[in-house]
Amino acid sequence: MAGTDYRQTAVTGGPAVILVESQLGENIGTAARAMFNCVLTDLRLVKPRDGWPSERAKAAASGADIVLDNAKLFDRVEDALGDLQHVFATTARDRDMVKRVVTPRQAAAEMRTLIGEGRACGLIFGPERSGLLNDHVALADTLITVPLNPAFSSLNLAQSVLVIGYEWFTAVDATPASALPLGERVPATKAQLQEFFEHLEEALDRSGFLRNIAKRPSMVRNIRNLFQRAECTEQEVRSLHGMVTALAGPRDRAKPEP
Amino acid sequence: MAGTDYRQTAVTGGPAVILVESQLGENIGTAARAMFNCVLTDLRLVKPRDGWPSERAKAAASGADIVLDNAKLFDRVEDALGDLQHVFATTARDRDMVKRVVTPRQAAAEMRTLIGEGRACGLIFGPERSGLLNDHVALADTLITVPLNPAFSSLNLAQSVLVIGYEWFTAVDATPASALPLGERVPATKAQLQEFFEHLEEALDRSGFLRNIAKRPSMVRNIRNLFQRAECTEQEVRSLHGMVTALAGPRDRAKPEP
């Protein structure tokens, strides 16, 4: 998007994603897809209920094969976390534990800092229906809860992975918040725009549209503001000239030719 | 989450979500679920391929029936947008149009401002496989592109709705970025912590652990810092006393009893 090659930093960079006792292969696949959307590639599976490898996971991953092919399998959550130094557990409900709870955005900022310092991070996600056991939550340093409609906050597995992964990804993403894509086009200069304004206003004067002398200045300002807002390209200004000429006839060049 | 009742502001507040020629009822259902996760309720369907109403949509919505029950059906995108004043079109690819492109976060901030000024907003999403036609994109004021892995940026319909809805929701959400939930528990006072430190250090002195006089001050500081970081509750400090007593025997109270 912004020209950065995120693939380069992918395999080494992001937090591990640990899926604990996922029930459906399909959900592991959609979670892997969401991971790769966010350039996360370190997938760890603890006792997936429907076995591993899974054809259903592959079908649901929509091409995120690199994530599934490199997935590691574990019997215990403790083993899946063994090499990590800071672990976030995702939970939709209050656990009544004295353990810090952060938003996905805060977690992303903290993971960027931790990983920047060389500390290995991970995200644990529980089974689809029940979420993580409290014994597994207790293995984590920090909890993540996604702020959502308190009356309807349940996300499926892939969506939880996506929201947290999206925050991870955008925490350093350089995509400008707002941009006007021009491609090969060149924005018009103010002189080009000014020349168009004069053409248009001359045509409007001739047509009688601006005949009210008292109102003319504010009408002209309003028209100019409208076209200023459009951030016209050179080509568009040429088109506008053409439209005015087409509508009002050729320009009345009162000035003597050189 | 933060105690705010978002349901109150739901029906009047958020942008409309317009799904154009969605192919599968299931995808409309999961999109409706994602909408209600984010307290969006104004769903508009333009020519859903598999017809409407849809039992598959209902099954996939996981309880977001209020959104499906109030969905409005249209034959043309133009009609679905008729009452709106600012429309964002979601697109994963460059359209080579001179039209502003914003991130979901920027779009959320702009929608909050626009809706706060009383302007009706909407979000258009195209069919699952192909995305919006350029003719439909041209009906929008602004484009939204979700910043994701440039090599793997395709999201399914519900995930697109969720990411944009999540940004909409969190743009005013008051959930603290980080919080330590204590429930009924009371954080220990510094006097309580100090008493524990004296208990612990006395036990460590007796055990010989702190016998190196030169290193003792820095060792004590390190131990105290560790327990400071834990932000202990009163109950936890009592437990720590108990643990030290259990490990080292009853405290040697050298001071005379009153």
Side-chain angles (χ1 to χ4, degrees), chain A:
Chain A
M1 209 75 58
T4 312
D5 189 353
Y6 293 99
R7 284 158 290 183
Q8 198 56 37
T9 57
V11 182
T12 50
V17 171
I18 300 109
L19 304 185
V20 180
E21 297 181 26
S22 302
Q23 296 171 311
L24 300 175
E26 183 184 351
N27 292 339
I28 297 173
T30 52
R33 175 182 176 180
M35 284 176 64
F36 201 45
N37 282 146
C38 308
V39 203
L40 298 175
T41 54
D42 184 352
L43 174 61
R44 304 174 182 198
L45 304 173
V46 180
K47 288 203 288 192
R49 192 191 66 183
D50 287 353
W52 195 258
S54 158
E55 279 308 310
R56 283 171 163 270
K58 199 173 163 71
S62 302
D65 294 14
I66 186 176
V67 177
L68 296 179
D69 292 347
N70 291 311
K72 293 184 254 337
L73 203 59
F74 296 88
D75 280 331
R76 302 189 322 142
V77 179
E78 290 83 344
D79 298 332
L81 308 180
D83 61 325
L84 303 178
Q85 291 159 308
H86 194 104
V87 170
F88 294 83
T90 55
T91 172
R93 54 196 164 85
D94 183 14
R95 298 297 185 137
D96 195 35
M97 289 187 196
V98 182
K99 195 184 287 287
R100 207 162 53 94
V101 182
V102 298
T103 60
R105 195 160 304 164
Q106 176 70 17
E110 294 183 9
M111 287 191 291
R112 289 284 175 189
T113 301
L114 291 164
I115 290 174
E117 292 167 354
R119 290 203 257 168
C121 291
L123 298 159
I124 331 179
F125 296 84
E128 292 88 331
R129 282 182 192 281
S130 51
L132 288 165
L133 295 175
N134 280 336
D135 283 346
H136 294 152
V137 172
L139 299 171
D141 299 271
T142 309
L143 305 182
I144 301 177
T145 297
V146 181
L148 288 172
N149 184 349
F152 193 78
S153 64
S154 161
L155 292 178
N156 70 32
L157 185 59
Q159 284 171 318
S160 299
V161 172
L162 180 69
V163 168
I164 297 169
Y166 162 78
E167 288 285 4
W168 159 261
F169 183 84
T170 57
V172 293
D173 177 58
T175 305
S178 172
L180 186 70
L182 288 171
E184 299 294 305
R185 303 172 192 86
V186 178
T189 64
K190 293 303 174 194
Q192 291 167 333
L193 206 60
Q194 185 62 32
E195 191 188 14
F196 165 66
F197 288 155
E198 288 164 10
H199 180 183
L200 174 64
E201 289 152 18
E202 179 190 295
L204 292 175
D205 275 328
R206 276 194 283 139
S207 76
F209 182 83
L210 295 174
R211 66 179 171 276
N212 185 324
I213 298 299
K215 290 191 177 167
R216 189 180 185 285
S218 71
M219 291 173 78
V220 164
R221 278 196 301 273
N222 291 344
I223 292 165
R224 289 182 174 202
N225 278 334
L226 183 160
F227 285 102
Q228 290 281 5
R229 285 200 308 274
E231 302 186 56
C232 297
T233 65
E234 287 187 343
Q235 175 58 48
E236 288 167 340
V237 171
R238 282 195 293 275
S239 298
L240 288 169
H241 276 294
M243 283 186 261
V244 173
T245 302
L247 294 172
R251 199 167 179 180
D252 177 21
R253 294 192 182 275
K255 294 166 199 156
E257 297 287 326

Side-chain angles (χ1 to χ4, degrees), chain B residues 10-24 27-29 31-33 35-36 40-49 51-52 57 64-88 90 115 118-127 132 136 157 161:
Chain B
V11 181
T12 49
V17 171
I18 300 108
L19 305 184
V20 180
E21 296 181 25
S22 303
Q23 296 171 311
L24 300 175
N27 292 339
I28 296 173
R33 175 181 176 181
M35 283 176 64
F36 201 46
L40 298 176
T41 55
D42 184 353
L43 174 60
R44 305 176 183 195
L45 304 172
V46 179
K47 289 201 289 191
R49 191 192 65 182
W52 195 256
D65 295 14
I66 186 177
V67 177
L68 296 179
D69 293 346
N70 292 310
K72 294 183 252 339
L73 203 60
F74 296 89
D75 281 332
R76 302 189 322 145
V77 178
E78 290 83 343
D79 298 333
L81 307 180
D83 61 326
L84 302 178
Q85 289 159 310
H86 194 104
V87 171
F88 294 83
T90 56
I115 289 173
R119 291 204 255 168
C121 291
L123 298 159
I124 331 179
F125 296 84
L132 287 166
H136 294 152
L157 185 58
V161 171

